[in-house]
């Protein structure tokens, strides 16, 4: 039973709640600056084409157009989020590589003029044959998306741990299944937006970003500037989910346009341009082979994958490694082989989307595991409990797991969902499925090679203690980090949450933090914040010690009161002490820093998947299938998570709901579709179907009372962990309902209908 | 009502219109093709109305037009001439939050906040015409407001609670938040 | 987002509107609620010089019963207006129910019956049921007016018999002996869904005999399509499950679905079979029009 705290562990209301519910919160598109111009980017209509010529003269002559730029006007240094593969340019110069690739940009007095100007830019293309199918991208005779990359191989991975051949030879049952996943898109409701402006050689960019630091770093690098001369300010961000982790054409082109015109330039992507820019989920083909003993204990697994990287790398190298890295996390086995090809195609580039490479592999593994369970006549819940990872173990690929309550998650999900009862008393067309998931609590290594700490923070208590401001580079994108970090700061100081203020994610004011991705902030930024708060508290206790003439170690501070642990009635308010501190010593400051310990093995790719802690979760879902139409009704979902100490229960469950909602959409309803020329068929929200409030089933979300010894107050992640089990859970629930399996995502009504039809025809043929 | 029309030297026509926004008569000069969402945001500086798709699919631009929720990105500003519009800025009265707004904060129904203004207005329209909705009625009322963050769970909870006059959850509403491990 | 430039007109009366349209001809389009028009303007599919708005035509926002004609639904009545109309709820409950399947609340507050018809999307939700209910439209222009059966009026994807100087003013649902009707839509999510297929049915049942029946299929042909062979199979017959199955098979054979991003032709054909059977059963059993 965990300790009760004054501030953490309570569902305090969001610190940014009032601004958001009144419409006062300013997102980047809400910002206006004096003399501001509007910019838009011209993109390629072809999936693969050589650029013969670009004529901007007519556009430049249009009244209201203040600047037109192409590759000639911008740095030609290639950039990207993965240092191992910088392959993108601000504007294409020799050829365009997907429909939506960047060709030129304009800055105008107003937005309508931008559209007119774009129409006047004349680009001559020589259309080339395009690579549109990742399954055949490596075949002989396929065009090369990037001239330097043979067979369109962007990333190639071959990892082997333990004695795989021996384990397969000794296994009681070996089985292979192949699955294929689809392209999906983060689709945050707020589009990408940026406002750029220069002042005396210094660049300031307001952006809808998940990481001001990475933006700052890569923009400074691109323009050959000192980091100190590039200021990135995060405004309110309307969701990111991994898609807003890297600077886009809006920041790069915006900076150039702003420099040329000496005016602020605001640029955004509309919804169709969002889909084209993408950096969403990679489609993967996944072949899973396992060998199990006669009880269903997994002895060995081989994951043989291929993923569709699109035209550029983005964070894709990490995605490719993550696809295999986390597979041995929820179940214990020592022998593991992972082969992967991430290929280039002439389609929008894919990157990191919630769960980062892992949800589709989990779908494949969990579906496969249910097939194995069926082969052996074992209940799917039982086979998972048998294989569940235990705490203080190490995975075959060298990830050290401290706290782990995988088994308890499954057992609790089993009870909550009524699993046994529903398995015993079947209703026609109804099925129940289970799946597990796990995720990193922050990546063990940063995106680019650096020895900098991953997080830092400082706290300034004001002169009379009636407010304390937390300065953190951590990024609030909706997940609640501003609130949770203020709770942690207050708890560490012994202060009250209600008096906390926060200034976050402005690189000129707040200290380095890598930002919101890989579910790192509660743990990593939180550790830095906790240390900063403890430093403040120590100074408070020292000052109070003098004021009360009591030894400092007899004192403690909680809920804004400094008190003696041994003597009743001896106390002071935090305010009184803080004020005295300022009078005698000046500003009361505390700082903290976090660097993860050296983690992981030494094999190629070992860093990806390392983390100081891992979350674990089990999800059960019940569905009802309409046998005549294949329509899937979701009757209920139960999620049980092991995510360590819960800092804010309501915000945490909100994250589970949201992660599960995204996973659910990707399971059945969402897919980015292309025509045979590489154009997106559904770059809009009528045919890219995110679920509405009427589509969501009842969800029961529970959290176990667990403790991660390395985390601040025992916390670890939850934001991405609840997406990972969902696809597999649906696959298994539908399998249970129908008796046949759909081996590709999304599990559409039509695919379900067709699988049932084929089953009926097979059965009729067998009978007749 | 006859719109005063002004033609500039290039022959472009602009029309004087009066929008009744949050109780105030606001007169603006607009082109025929001006979109209501843009006029609210750019001319009247009411940036609480958001743009998410500009094609009427996501609901983040929802405003109340004559009391009914509509996607303001799909309404010509001039079509709203003379009509009553409520934007998110008009919901709280003299800094006192509406019950729905208060409940949404306390039930953690707000995450990134981008869908929130539209969500609040759709919920407000519902509770105005149906003060005691059922859960399916709440889900239907917000079915035109897409949210990518919350899965709608806390939003539905908050709107139902607001309709019952409960502006915040009780102390122990998550019975298993700290217990229940086996 | 991009929007083409145009001149805007908001005539005070229907006559003024007709005069204006007569004058502007091909250079003008008519604006009702604007949901479909704004979509096309933003996507560059429409580039009119003039937009003639019907916003002042309050008489087109009514639902009323006229002796000798039937129920008259003004062209500017919104789906929400259809849903909440006491008259329609009483006389043709299936129509409010069908209108409630359209889009989402925001769409239902802004769309119009006239717009849904004139936009003539093969996926539109109202035309199939209106055709099943023998609806006609009244189209007005400067020189006069004409009544056209809705079934003939919609003549192609995005095409109706309306001329550039005409305004669709009313939809007329004649008084009829039908005892039941319904519209079933198959969408891929529960709100904001485009019909993969839709089936509307109107039946006249007496003593368990299908005296008359009209089956109209949506989203499986360029226009809403009557399943005439299926109707012929049913007319005058005693109702049995086997008969309804037969009719459903026939409707599935008659329809002309395509394969697109929402479904394959084969799937659509099967959905028609299932939904026709269900719609017939529902219209017969529920006993309300």
């Amino acid at each position: 039973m965990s300790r009760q705290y004054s501030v953490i562990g309570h569902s305090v209301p969001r610190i940014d709640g009032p601004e958001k519910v009144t419409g006062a919160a300013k997102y980047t598109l809400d910002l206006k600056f004096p003399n501001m111009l509007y910019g838009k980017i011209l993109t390629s209509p072809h999936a693969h084409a050589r650029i013969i010529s670009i004529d901007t003269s007519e556009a430049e002559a249009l009244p209201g157009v203040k600047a037109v730029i192409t590759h000639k006007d911008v740095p030609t240094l290639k950039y990207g989020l993965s240092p191992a593969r910088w392959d993108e340019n601000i504007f294409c110069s020799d050829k365009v590589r997907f429909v939506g690739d960047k060709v030129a940009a304009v800055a105008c007095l107003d937005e309508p003029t931008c559209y007119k100007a774009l129409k006047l830019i004349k680009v001559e293309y020589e259309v080339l044959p395009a690579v549109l199918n990742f399954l055949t991208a490596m075949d002989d005779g396929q065009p090369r998306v990037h001239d330097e990359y043979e067979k369109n191989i962007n990333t190639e991975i071959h990892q082997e741990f333990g004695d795989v051949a021996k384990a397969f030879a000794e296994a009681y049952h070996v089985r292979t299944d192949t699955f294929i996943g689809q392209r999906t898109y983060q689709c945050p409701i707020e589009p990408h937006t940026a406002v750029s402006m220069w002042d005396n050689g210094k660049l300031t960019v307001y952006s809808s970003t998940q990481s001001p630091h990475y933006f700052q770093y890569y923009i400074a690098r691109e323009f050959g500037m000192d980091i100190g001369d590039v200021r990135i300010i995060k405004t309110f961000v309307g969701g990111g989910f991994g898609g807003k982790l890297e600077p886009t054409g809006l920041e790069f082109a915006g900076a150039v346009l702003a420099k040329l015109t000496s005016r602020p330039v605001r640029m955004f992507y509309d919804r169709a341009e969002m889909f084209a820019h993408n950096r969403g989920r990679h489609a993967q083909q996944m072949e899973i082979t396992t060998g199990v003993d006669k009880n269903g204990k997994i002895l060995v697994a081989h994951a043989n994958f291929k993923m569709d990287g699109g035209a550029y790398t983005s964070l894709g190298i990490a995605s490719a490694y993550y696809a295999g890295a986390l597979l041995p996390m929820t179940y214990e086995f020592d022998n593991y082989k992972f082969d992967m090809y991430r290929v280039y195609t002439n389609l929008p580039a894919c990157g990191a989307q919630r769960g980062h490479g892992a949800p589709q592999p989990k779908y494949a593994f969990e579906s496969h595991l249910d097939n194995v369970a069926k082969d052996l006549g074992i209940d799917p819940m039982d086979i998972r409990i048998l294989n569940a990872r235990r705490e203080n173990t190490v995975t075959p690929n060298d990830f050290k797991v401290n706290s782990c309550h995988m088994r308890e998650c499954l057992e609790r999900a089993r009870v909550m969902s009524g699993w046994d009862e529903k398995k015993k008393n079947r209703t026609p067309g109804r099925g129940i499925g289970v799946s597990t998931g796990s995720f990193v609590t922050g990546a063990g290594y940063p995106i680019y090679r650096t020895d900098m700490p991953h997080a830092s923070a400082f706290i300034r208590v004001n002169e009379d203690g009636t407010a304390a401001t937390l300065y953190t580079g951590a990024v609030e994108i909706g997940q609640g980090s501003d609130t949770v970090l203020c709770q942690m700061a207050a708890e560490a100081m012994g202060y009250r949450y209600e008096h906390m203020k926060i200034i976050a994610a402005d690189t000129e004011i707040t200290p380095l933090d890598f930002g919101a991705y890989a579910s790192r902030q509660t743990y990593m930024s939180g550790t830095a914040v906790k240390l900063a708060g403890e430093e403040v508290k120590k100074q408070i206790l020292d000052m109070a010690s003098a004021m009360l003439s009591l030894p400092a170690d007899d004192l403690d501070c909680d809920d804004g009161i400094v008190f003696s642990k041994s003597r009743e009635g001896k106390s002071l308010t935090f305010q009184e002490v803080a004020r005295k501190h300022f009078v005698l010593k000046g500003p009361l400051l505390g700082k903290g820093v976090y660097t993860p310990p050296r983690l992981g093995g030494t094999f190629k790719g070992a860093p990806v998947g390392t983390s100081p802690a891992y979350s674990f979760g089990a999800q059960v879902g019940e569905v009802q299938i309409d046998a005549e139409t294949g329509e899937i009704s979701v009757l209920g979902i139960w999620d049980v998570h092991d995510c360590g100490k819960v800092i804010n229960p309501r915000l945490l469950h909100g994250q589970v709901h949201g992660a599960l909602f995204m996973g659910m959409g990707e399971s059945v309803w969402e897919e980015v579709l292309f025509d045979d020329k590489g154009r997106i068929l559904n770059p809009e929200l009528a045919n890219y179907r995110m679920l509405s409030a009427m589509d969501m089933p009842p969800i029961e979300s529970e959290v176990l009372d667990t403790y991660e010894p390395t985390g601040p107050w025992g916390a670890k992640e939850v934001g991405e962990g609840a997406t990972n089990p969902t696809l597999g859970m649906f696959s298994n629930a539908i399998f249970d309902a129908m008796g046949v399996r759909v081996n590709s995502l999304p599990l559409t009504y039509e695919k379900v209908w067709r699988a049932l039809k084929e089953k009926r025809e097979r059965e009729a043929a067998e009978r007749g | 009502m006859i719109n005063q029309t002004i033609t500039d030297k290039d022959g472009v026509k602009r029309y004087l219109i009066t929008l009744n926004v949050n109780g105030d008569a606001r007169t603006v000069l607009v082109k025929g093709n001006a979109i209501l969402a843009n006029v609210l945001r750019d001319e009247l500086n009411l940036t609480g109305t958001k743009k998410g798709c500009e094609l009427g699919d996501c609901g983040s631009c929802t405003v109340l037009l004559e009391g009914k929720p509509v996607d303001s990105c799909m309404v010509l500003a001039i079509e709203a001439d003379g009509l009553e519009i409520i934007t998110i800025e008009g919901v709280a009265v003299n800094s006192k939050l509406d019950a729905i707004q208060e409940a949404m904060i306390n039930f953690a129904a707000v995450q990134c906040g981008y869908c929130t203004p539209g969500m609040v207005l759709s919920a407000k329209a519902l509770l105005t015409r149906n003060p005691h909705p059922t859960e399916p009625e709440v889900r239907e009322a917000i079915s035109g407001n897409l949210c990518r963050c919350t899965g709608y769970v806390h939003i539905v909870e908050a709107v139902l609670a607001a309709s019952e006059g409960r502006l915040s959850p009780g102390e122990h509403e998550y019975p298993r938040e700290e217990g229940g491990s086996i | 987002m991009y929007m083409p430039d145009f001149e805007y007109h908001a005539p005070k009366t229907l006559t003024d509107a007709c005069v204006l349209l007569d004058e502007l001809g091909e250079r003008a389009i008519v604006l009702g609620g604007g949901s479909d028009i704004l979509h096309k303007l933003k996507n560059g599919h429409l580039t009119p010089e003039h937009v003639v708005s019907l916003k002042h035509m309050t008489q087109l926002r009514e639902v009323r019963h006229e002796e000798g004609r039937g129920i008259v639904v003004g062209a500017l009545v919104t789906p929400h207006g259809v849903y909440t109309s006491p008259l329609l709820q009483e006389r043709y409950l299936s129509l409010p129910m069908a209108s409630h399947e359209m889009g989402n609340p925001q769409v239902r507050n802004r769309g119009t019956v006239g717009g849904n018809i004139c936009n003539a999307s093969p996926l539109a939700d109202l035309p199939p049921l209106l055709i099943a209910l023998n609806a006609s439209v009244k189209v007005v222009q400067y020189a006069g007016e004409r009544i056209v059966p809705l079934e003939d009026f919609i003549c192609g994807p995005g095409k109706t018999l309306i001329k550039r100087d005409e305004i669709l003013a009313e939809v007329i649902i004649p008084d009829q002996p039908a005892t039941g009707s319904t519209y079933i839509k198959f969408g891929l999510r529960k709100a904001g869904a485009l019909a993969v297929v839709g089936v509307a049915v109107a039946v006249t049942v007496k003593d368990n005999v299908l005296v008359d029946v009209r089956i109209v299929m949506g989203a499986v042909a360029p226009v809403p399509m009557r399943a005439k062979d299926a109707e012929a199979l049913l007319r005058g017959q005693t109702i049995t499950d086997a008969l309804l199955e037969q009719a459903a098979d026939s409707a599935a054979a008659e329809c002309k679905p395509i394969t697109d991003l929402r479904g394959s032709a084969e799937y659509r054909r099967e959905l028609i079979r299932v939904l026709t059977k269900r719609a017939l059963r529902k219209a017969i059993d529920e006993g309300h029009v």
Side-chain angles (χ1 to χ4, degrees), chain A residues 46-105:
Chain A
H46 303 295
H48 199 198
R50 209 172 300 285
I51 297 176
I52 308 296
S53 68
I54 307 177
D55 179 1
T56 59
S57 53
E58 265 188 76
E60 288 171 50
L62 185 68
V65 175
K66 295 301 175 188
V68 182
I69 54 175
T70 67
H71 61 89
K72 294 195 252 75
D73 307 295
V74 302
T76 52
L77 184 63
K78 284 194 191 289
Y79 68 86
L81 201 50
S82 307
R85 195 80 71 245
W86 284 316
D87 55 7
E88 212 171 336
N89 281 113
I90 297 179
F91 294 123
C92 301
S93 55
D94 57 343
K95 60 176 190 166
V96 291
R97 292 181 176 81
F98 71 98
V99 177
D101 214 350
K102 311 188 281 329
V103 176

Side-chain angles (χ1 to χ4, degrees), chain A residues 111 115-116 119 626 628-629 631 669 685 687 689-690 692 694-695 749-750 753-754 757, chain C residues 1-2 5 186-191 194 261-264 266-267 270-271 274 277-278:
Chain A
E111 203 184 306
Y115 292 114
K116 296 194 176 106
K119 282 208 180 96
D626 180 332
E628 289 185 304
T629 64
E631 188 173 9
W669 289 270
L685 303 183
N687 288 298
R689 283 176 294 275
M690 290 193 282
S692 75
M694 288 174 74
D695 294 292
Y749 304 163
E750 180 168 348
W753 165 78
R754 197 176 295 283
K757 175 172 180 284
Chain C
M1 192 169 250
Y2 166 76
D5 283 302
F186 192 85
L188 298 176
R189 61 179 173 182
K190 297 202 170 80
L194 299 165
L261 73 173
R262 285 176 294 273
S264 70
E266 188 198 350
Y267 184 50
E270 177 59 19
L271 286 174
V274 174
K277 191 176 46 149
R278 291 182 183 179

Side-chain angles (χ1 to χ4, degrees), chain A residues 605-625:
Chain A
V608 181
T610 57
S611 178
Y614 299 88
S615 69
F616 295 88
Q619 271 178 17
V620 171
E622 196 181 3
V623 300
Q624 176 84 47
I625 314 272

Side-chain angles (χ1 to χ4, degrees), chain A residues 433-435 619-621 637-638 725-734:
Chain A
V434 62
S435 174
Q619 271 178 17
V620 171
I637 299 180
W638 299 265
T726 315
L727 286 67
M729 173 191 78
F730 273 101
S731 173
N732 288 336
I734 293 168

